């Protein structure tokens, strides 16, 4: 005889999808959500009204939302949430998500989606969201059952925060967010990647370094992300080797004032090849391997320079140039274990070699180069736009020791790293992808992440226009960011390259002169205190006033000479 049917009873302890979404995010350590809402995101906005612990930061366009969150996550080291609007909003955000992918930012991006089944009718704003996001994230998924929402969120957090870190995307249909069910919210998983190589691998690397005639060290972002400034400095000093910043310098990857630091490699293949030609071993510590931009017939790595690598991003290992030794391990833990092995195997001979090398590096390191640059600076001429080199030296002098620089100045700010010292791993943040518009918004996120440190954002006029609405968010949050917009009246980098690559000195579509931009008035329209400066005395006085103001953002529009 069949069992009698069980009488149906109301299920206790039910929760809506929208509330479960916020509760799981909070449990995963997310304390900030950056967003720009639309109709399909209203369920989340409704739930936020009863979740004050989730600080919501409004951006006025989706690319700005992602860039602010990117700056926040990079400066705080925390997982961050971004909520954008359905297909057009996700489309707006893709360029910024691409930048976050390049920088390895741990980020959960969500977009509201039309209710399941309703999408079949192809309503306004509809498109399949997962295929749009997939090329620029580690994982993309749509939630199809409310019971799966916590599991998907938990997996997304784990994937985003596991090295190599990066953004993930979740599509949230409206019915999933509004439905209610008794669901298991799950628990957090974090993968510990702070691992070191085996003793045998460490000894192999140490012996290879000691056997090399001339070693050069390339510093990269994993020195910062693993908090290994001290260990990287100790390695360079123990070996007495010169240190160069990797070719794309988008963060503070090594202390500038260290006696071994020579500066940053750039993306000029001929120059990089010339620098590396005197070394028979290039030790890449958490770095990319000579990433370039424009094509050149010249390979940046000489055939006589061999490669050894330490880091967690194994995709970079042997990607373009073979590595004799490639250790997939945490930089900090590896260097802590490697140093005593080097000292033991190298002994007194290594100490003496390092001492001689450090003496020679002292005449050409970053500090020596900066002193020469400052000595050679010429005062601005009355009635002319300010020389960018002079402006960069004054900005560097004005930033306090605990200040933070966010830079996307392209041509005008080229020399800023030669004047401004990276003193800790959070002292500088730059654009990794080359897609402009990141900097002015990222500065907002960095300042939210580091409220006790002053953020200085040096941005080109062309870059600023891509995300100028971020100024409103800075004013809305009452952030003391000092925005320094370098106004040279156009896309100067494109003009320079048009002339260099094609011999064409008559650019089309690269000037902002008809009519000229008044960035000061634009900023004032967003509620930001702003002024235009075009003299040396005026710049110094304006910077002094900006430093004194701490109850909101300040913008200085600096009229600079064209470079190139």
């Amino acid at each position: 005889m069949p069992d009698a049917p069980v009488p149906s009873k109301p299920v206790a302890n039910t929760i809506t999808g929208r509330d479960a979404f916020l509760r799981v995010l909070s449990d995963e350590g997310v304390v900030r959500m950056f967003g720009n809402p639309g109709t399909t995101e209203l369920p989340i906005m409704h739930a936020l009204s009863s979740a004050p612990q989730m600080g919501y930061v409004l951006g006025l366009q989706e690319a700005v939302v992602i860039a602010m969150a990117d700056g926040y996550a990079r400066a705080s080291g925390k997982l961050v949430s971004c909520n954008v609007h359905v297909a057009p909003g996700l489309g707006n955000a893709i360029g910024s998500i691409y930048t976050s992918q390049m920088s390895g930012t741990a980020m959960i991006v969500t977009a509201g989606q039309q209710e399941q089944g309703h999408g079949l009718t192809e309503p306004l704003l509809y498109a399949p969201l997962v295929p749009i996001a997939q090329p620029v994230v580690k994982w993309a998924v749509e939630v199809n059952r409310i019971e799966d929402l916590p599991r998907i969120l938990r997996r997304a957090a784990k994937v985003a925060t596991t090295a190599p870190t990066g953004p993930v995307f979740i599509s949230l249909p409206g019915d999933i967010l509004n439905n209610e069910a008794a669901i298991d919210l799950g628990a957090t998983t974090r993968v510990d990647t702070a691992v070191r190589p085996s003793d045998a691998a460490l000894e192999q690397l140490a012996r290879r370094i000691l056997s090399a005639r001339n070693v050069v060290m390339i510093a990269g972002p994993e020195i910062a992300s693993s908090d290994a400034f001290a260990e990287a400095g100790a390695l360079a000093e123990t070996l007495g080797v010169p240190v160069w910043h990797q070719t794309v310098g988008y963060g503070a990857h090594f202390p500038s004032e260290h006696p071994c630091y020579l500066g940053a490699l750039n993306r000029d293949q001929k120059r990089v090849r010339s620098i590396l030609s005197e070394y028979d071993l290039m030790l890449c510590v958490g770095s990319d391997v000579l990433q370039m931009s424009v094509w050149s017939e010249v390979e940046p790595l000489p055939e006589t320079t061999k490669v050894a690598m330490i880091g967690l991003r194994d995709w970079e290992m042997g990607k373009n140039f073979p590595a004799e030794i490639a250790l997939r391990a945490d930089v900090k833990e590896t260097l802590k274990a490697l140093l005593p092995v080097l000292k033991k195997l190298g002994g007194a001979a290594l100490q003496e070699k390092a001492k001689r090398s450090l003496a020679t590096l002292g005449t050409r390191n970053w500090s020596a180069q900066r002193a020469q640059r400052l000595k050679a600076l010429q005062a601005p001429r009355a009635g002319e736009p300010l020389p960018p080199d002079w402006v960069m030296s004054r900005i560097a002098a004005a930033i306090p020791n605990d200040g933070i620089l966010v830079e996307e100045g392209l041509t005008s700010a080229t020399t800023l790293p030669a004047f401004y010292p990276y003193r800790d791993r959070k002292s500088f943040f730059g654009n990794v992808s080359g897609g402009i518009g990141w900097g002015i918004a990222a500065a907002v996120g960095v300042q939210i992440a580091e409220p006790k440190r002053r953020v200085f954002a040096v941005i080109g006029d062309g870059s600023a226009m891509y995300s100028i609405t971020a100024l409103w968010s800075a004013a809305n949050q009452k952030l003391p960011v000092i925005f320094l917009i370098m106004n040279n009246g156009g896309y100067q980098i494109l003009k320079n390259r048009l002339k260099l690559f094609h011999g064409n000195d008559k650019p089309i579509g690269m000037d902002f002169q008809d009519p000229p931009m008044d960035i000061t008035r634009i900023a004032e329209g967003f509620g930001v205190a702003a002024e235009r400066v075009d003299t040396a005395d005026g710049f110094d006085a304006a910077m002094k006033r900006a430093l004194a103001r701490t109850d909101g953002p300040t913008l200085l529009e600096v009229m600079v000479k064209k470079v190139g």
Side-chain angles (χ1 to χ4, degrees), residues 145-156:
R145 298 192 314 153
I146 187 172
E147 292 84 0
D148 295 333
L149 177 60
R151 177 173 290 167
I152 286 173
L153 281 169
R154 298 294 186 182
R155 185 182 299 176

Side-chain angles (χ1 to χ4, degrees), residues 204-205 307-311 314 317-318 323-329:
Q204 180 191 19
L205 177 60
V307 179
M309 300 189 67
I310 303 166
D314 55 296
M317 296 176 174
E324 280 191 4
I325 297 176
L327 302 183
R328 190 183 189 279

Side-chain angles (χ1 to χ4, degrees), residues 11-21 23-24 145-151 176 179-186:
V11 179
N13 300 318
T14 59
I15 187 171
T16 62
R18 58 183 180 264
D19 288 329
F21 172 74
R23 190 175 298 181
V24 172
R145 298 192 314 153
I146 187 172
E147 292 84 0
D148 295 333
L149 177 60
R151 177 173 290 167
I176 298 293
N179 285 350
E180 188 172 334
I183 53 179
D184 181 358
L185 296 184

Side-chain angles (χ1 to χ4, degrees), residues 203-215 239 280-281 306 308 324-325 342 345-346 350 353:
E203 182 171 339
Q204 180 191 19
L205 177 60
R207 290 188 182 280
R208 179 63 183 91
I209 292 170
L210 294 172
S211 69
R213 174 182 53 82
N214 212 3
V215 179
L239 297 174
D280 61 328
L281 181 65
K306 304 306 177 183
E324 280 191 4
I325 297 176
L342 284 167
L345 295 175
L350 176 60
K353 181 180 178 181

